[in-house]
Amino acid sequence: MSEAKKKSFNPEVNSALCKECGYCCEVCEESVFENSGVFNKAGYRYIITKHAENCTGCMKCFLICPDFAILVSQVHENPAPSVDTIRAEAG
């Protein structure tokens, strides 16, 4: 039997949209986020992704963010081939 591959996720915080509410930090059980200590143009110390490798893809941060500043995407080890790649291989 082959071992199931662990899915990887990439949580990203848009620093321009983040208003430092900290909800993502509160709901994340994996300690993925932390305060940057740096101010964005709106005057907020935005949240950053500190430990993306811990992300399980639960989407709690995405769902709780009132400013839609968080995007969680799945990282694909073998991405699907592009249309150009398929055409090139077809000859």
Side-chain angles (χ1 to χ4, degrees), residues 7-11 52-59 72-75:
K7 293 182 181 180
S8 297
F9 297 91
N10 183 32
E53 68 278 4
N54 294 346
C55 182
T56 62
C58 71
M59 303 295 287
V72 179
S73 56
Q74 186 174 348
V75 177

Side-chain angles (χ1 to χ4, degrees), residues 28-63:
C28 183
E29 297 173 4
E30 304 301 326
S31 302
V32 171
F33 304 100
E34 76 174 27
N35 193 294
S36 69
V38 178
F39 292 93
N40 62 16
K41 289 184 180 181
Y44 297 101
R45 291 175 298 174
Y46 58 90
I47 303 298
I48 60 169
T49 303
K50 181 69 174 184
H51 298 286
E53 68 278 4
N54 294 346
C55 182
T56 62
C58 71
M59 303 295 287
K60 289 178 184 177
C61 58
F62 172 81
L63 295 170

Side-chain angles (χ1 to χ4, degrees), residues 14-32:
N14 183 327
S15 61
L17 296 177
C18 180
K19 292 184 182 165
E20 191 187 355
C21 69
Y23 293 157
C24 56
C25 297
E26 291 178 26
V27 299
C28 183
E29 297 173 4
E30 304 301 326
S31 302
V32 171

Side-chain angles (χ1 to χ4, degrees), residues 14 17-18 62-71:
N14 183 327
L17 296 177
C18 180
F62 172 81
L63 295 170
I64 203 165
C65 182
D67 299 304
F68 305 101
I70 299 176
L71 176 67

